[in-house]
Amino acid sequence: MTPAGWTVFLVAVSGMTGLLIWCVFKVVSTPGSEKHLHSPADIDTHDH
Amino acid sequence: MPMDNQPPKETWNTRFGVILAVTGSAVGLGNFLRFPGQAAQNGGGLFMIPYLIAFVIVGVPLAWSEWALGRYGGRMGYNSAPGIFRRVLHSRKGAYVGMLGTVMPVLIYTYYVLVEALCLYYAWHFLTGTIPALGDSVEAVGGFFVQSLGLGANGALFSADGAPFLGVVFFCFLLNFFLIYRGINQGIEKFCLYAMPLLVICAFIVLARVIPLPAVDGRGILDGLGFMWNPATQDGLIRETLANPEVWVAATGQIFFSLSVGFGLILTYASYLKKDDDVALSSLTSVAGNGFCEVVLGGLIALPAAFIFLGPVFLSDPGNIGTFSLGFVTLPNVFNQMPAGQFFGFLFFFLLFLSAVTSSLSMLQPAIALLEEGLGITRKPSVAILGFVTLIGTLFIAYFSAGATALDTVDFWMANFFIFIFATVQTLIFGWVIGAKRGYEELCAGAEINIPRWIMPMIQIVSPGYLLIIFGFWAVGRLPGRIQGMFNPPEGEPPVILMSVGFILIVLSFFAFVIARANQRWPDPQQETRS
């Protein structure tokens, strides 16, 4: 791996990992986040 | 008639559950199969420059605007993209503008179910030992792949040799519609929330086996990583790669595909949220989880391992690192040469199958929402109508399987062409019709994080400007060849490309008819209260 390859690798991996860690920290440190955060899997689309 | 939206039925009991739900919701085929192939085909490490740029100026703004626009439309009483666009634009024609947000997922479903079936087929053949028995022969695994998808000749899947895979396709098709018809798709999606972390764990285990791999013929892990991550070093090649609109379109298309934005899916799901539900942190966490799985896991497993086992000569053929061939030829070869590869091969493809089920179920939801609210029918007849339309499409694509021409054509127009148009229109509507002030307020409503104010100029100008420029350059270069190809089929072959485009037009016409009927039922948009 060349130095340029290492640079691209480290920027991309640390950027994505850092963003994910920050988001997880915000979720964990926000009171009531379990009531206000959603993903498509928990949204009720009235399919009953 | 538009209905009052009810609040989401359930909430997650713990914050850990939230993290699993939100980050796992969009992890899947795009991260592990599509991304490494796209990167390797488009300049290796250089691909990451347009990828990261597209992530920041298209991925995040589009995810935020799609969630916020969907929630806004839902408050106005609509759950489908045509209904939402009609209400926001205060015009019956607006419903036709939103039509792509329903048609794209439906048409993508018609071929996605084949890929879903292929994951299950591979899982089964890893479990029963058929694929491991092929050993390290690339030709043998490649032959298995060609035979499975019937790539050799049209109608091959309808012969005795193709029947087993066609049976799996029907099983997957019926499974999806059974789950939707019985209204238990939410249950399976919730189950998959806990299965998706398993997929990530499985990927970490495979990664842990790949990194300490001993060198094969002098090729070690650092050489493999170099193949994936090294940017082209010659100045001319760097300029050539970064000046190629194909590379930028591929990077942006990868962002759309893996983040599930720009298709209209999120628009429909978000329409069921309450005003005080968060969309900012939810969508950003989902985007971040995807980016992590894609770059860290997707970028470290498939290609580096393939480089070690199969070598640079094999991978220098673009045909060997395409999405399908990387996932279904190269990776099985890698599993076949790994200790306990049979078990990990089975687990990997089975978990990919589960993630594909959740994706295909979500692709059906926007059309069901339109049929229900547009025609005033209940869910079950909506599912039946949609089942008929998609079955015709899947049979068409399965029959014209030679060289995957029908599949490639539908994929090109949906996932490369119309998605850019719809994503651009969506950002323009959010940025300019909803407007900067109201749009920002909408994004911030219920937000669990502070959203920077510069996001609105980004959504208004930078994102659509970027999309229009790269799409314009790409269309000028690619479209004439594509259109010419429609009318010049290989001698003696049926005009499959033209027929595929004809099928797309038939589906568009069908949904235009549905929207025309819906426009008669829905209240006059001019008289609906502006809010």
Side-chain angles (χ1 to χ4, degrees):
Chain A
M1 188 125 102
T2 63
W6 277 112
T7 306
V8 174
F9 171 76
L10 290 174
V11 168
V13 169
S14 60
M16 290 300 177
T17 309
L19 180 62
L20 180 61
I21 289 172
W22 184 81
C23 286
V24 169
F25 170 75
K26 293 302 286 186
V27 172
V28 170
S29 63
T30 304
S33 62
E34 65 273 22
K35 293 186 177 65
H36 297 291
L37 267 67
H38 297 284
S39 83
D42 77 304
I43 295 172
D44 183 8
T45 51
H46 315 304
D47 289 336
H48 307 290
Chain B
M1 293 288 286
M3 302 188 316
D4 288 338
N5 285 302
Q6 297 164 14
K9 196 179 67 167
E10 297 177 64
T11 56
W12 301 102
N13 294 328
T14 65
R15 290 173 202 174
F16 180 65
V18 173
I19 292 164
L20 285 187
V22 179
T23 55
S25 62
V27 173
L29 301 179
N31 306 130
F32 296 109
L33 299 187
R34 199 173 189 274
F35 170 75
Q38 289 290 316
Q41 284 176 317
N42 292 287
L46 273 183
F47 177 78
M48 294 311 295
I49 295 173
Y51 176 86
L52 292 174
I53 290 173
F55 184 88
V56 172
I57 70 175
V58 175
V60 175
L62 194 57
W64 272 344
S65 59
E66 193 164 331
W67 276 89
L69 185 60
R71 187 183 56 177
Y72 175 81
R75 263 203 335 276
M76 301 295 114
Y78 294 92
N79 302 117
S80 67
I84 292 169
F85 279 32
R86 179 184 186 276
R87 180 68 180 80
V88 171
L89 294 170
H90 294 285
S91 160
R92 288 193 167 90
K93 289 176 187 163
Y96 296 100
V97 177
M99 187 167 71
L100 283 176
T102 304
V103 174
M104 277 194 298
V106 168
L107 281 168
I108 290 171
Y109 175 85
T110 60
Y111 66 83
Y112 193 86
V113 72
L114 290 169
V115 184
E116 179 182 321
L118 200 57
C119 290
L120 182 59
Y121 195 65
Y122 267 58
W124 173 254
H125 283 288
F126 262 107
L127 188 66
T128 56
T130 314
I131 295 177
L134 299 173
D136 59 0
S137 164
V138 175
E139 290 75 21
V141 179
F144 182 83
F145 169 67
V146 167
Q147 189 188 342
S148 301
L149 266 184
L151 298 179
N154 290 330
L157 290 183
F158 293 82
S159 68
D161 283 347
F165 176 63
L166 192 63
V168 177
V169 173
F170 273 113
F171 170 78
C172 291
F173 194 94
L174 291 174
L175 174 71
N176 290 333
F177 275 92
F178 174 77
L179 294 171
I180 287 271
Y181 186 79
R182 295 294 300 270
I184 52 178
N185 49 311
Q186 291 289 311
I188 193 79
E189 284 172 0
K190 190 163 280 190
F191 165 74
C192 286
L193 284 179
Y194 298 96
M196 287 311 96
L198 256 185
L199 176 61
V200 175
I201 291 168
C202 180
F204 269 113
I205 292 171
V206 176
L207 179 63
R209 300 204 77 103
V210 166
I211 287 178
L213 279 173
V216 176
D217 296 335
R219 299 183 300 271
I221 184 65
L222 285 181
D223 302 307
L225 288 173
F227 182 79
M228 170 76 201
W229 292 96
N230 283 345
T233 49
Q234 298 161 327
D235 283 349
L237 201 54
I238 291 174
R239 273 199 302 274
E240 196 179 295
T241 304
L242 293 182
N244 183 358
E246 293 263 354
V247 175
W248 292 83
V249 165
T252 311
Q254 178 59 30
I255 293 291
F256 287 146
F257 193 90
S258 65
L259 302 187
S260 298
V261 295
F263 292 92
L265 305 182
I266 297 298
L267 213 54
T268 291
Y269 276 102
S271 71
Y272 296 96
L273 293 175
K274 293 182 291 182
K275 185 177 182 178
D276 63 345
D277 280 325
D278 164 89
V279 295
L281 184 55
S282 299
S283 54
L284 190 63
T285 308
S286 171
V287 163
N290 255 281
F292 176 82
C293 286
E294 191 149 285
V295 171
V296 179
L297 297 176
L300 290 183
I301 295 175
L303 270 180
F307 184 87
I308 294 170
F309 286 119
L310 306 173
V313 176
F314 177 81
L315 294 176
S316 62
D317 179 353
N320 291 330
I321 52 174
T323 304
F324 282 155
S325 44
L326 185 73
F328 295 107
V329 179
T330 310
L331 263 184
N333 257 293
V334 171
F335 284 125
N336 283 353
Q337 297 179 56
M338 276 173 54
Q342 179 174 359
F343 172 72
F344 286 113
F346 159 73
L347 192 61
F348 189 76
F349 281 103
F350 186 69
L351 292 170
L352 278 182
F353 162 71
L354 288 179
S355 79
V357 171
T358 62
S359 299
S360 57
L361 289 174
S362 70
M363 287 173 198
L364 299 173
Q365 196 63 45
I368 290 173
L370 174 65
L371 291 167
E372 282 178 351
E373 71 183 14
L375 300 181
I377 57 178
T378 59
R379 187 175 48 81
K380 289 187 176 176
S382 303
V383 170
I385 292 170
L386 190 59
F388 178 73
V389 173
T390 50
L391 181 62
I392 301 283
T394 300
L395 287 175
F396 174 83
I397 289 169
Y399 184 83
F400 291 104
S401 57
T405 307
L407 189 156
D408 175 66
T409 304
V410 178
D411 179 62
F412 171 82
W413 289 103
M414 294 302 118
N416 284 327
F417 184 80
F418 285 128
I419 195 169
F420 271 84
I421 295 175
F422 189 70
T424 308
V425 168
Q426 196 169 267
T427 48
L428 288 172
I429 285 177
F430 188 77
W432 295 98
V433 178
I434 301 279
K437 184 170 179 294
R438 203 150 49 113
Y440 185 73
E441 288 169 359
E442 188 61 37
L443 261 175
C444 293
E448 301 284 12
I449 51 174
N450 294 322
I451 298 177
R453 283 200 169 270
W454 50 258
I455 196 65
M456 286 316 293
M458 183 86 104
I459 291 172
Q460 286 181 304
I461 298 164
V462 180
S463 303
Y466 167 89
L467 290 171
L468 284 171
I469 289 170
I470 63 162
F471 181 70
F473 276 111
W474 172 84
V476 167
R478 281 291 299 276
L479 272 189
R482 274 278 170 175
I483 292 169
Q484 211 172 19
M486 281 166 47
F487 300 101
N488 296 296
E491 209 171 308
E493 297 288 325
V496 176
I497 298 177
L498 191 62
M499 290 159 66
S500 305
V501 172
F503 174 69
I504 292 171
L505 291 175
I506 289 170
V507 175
L508 279 167
S509 305
F510 170 74
F511 279 100
F513 169 75
V514 171
I515 288 170
R517 294 295 301 265
N519 267 330
Q520 292 171 352
R521 290 189 68 252
W522 286 335
D524 184 344
Q526 300 293 340
Q527 291 177 2
E528 287 184 280
T529 313
R530 289 171 185 263
S531 65

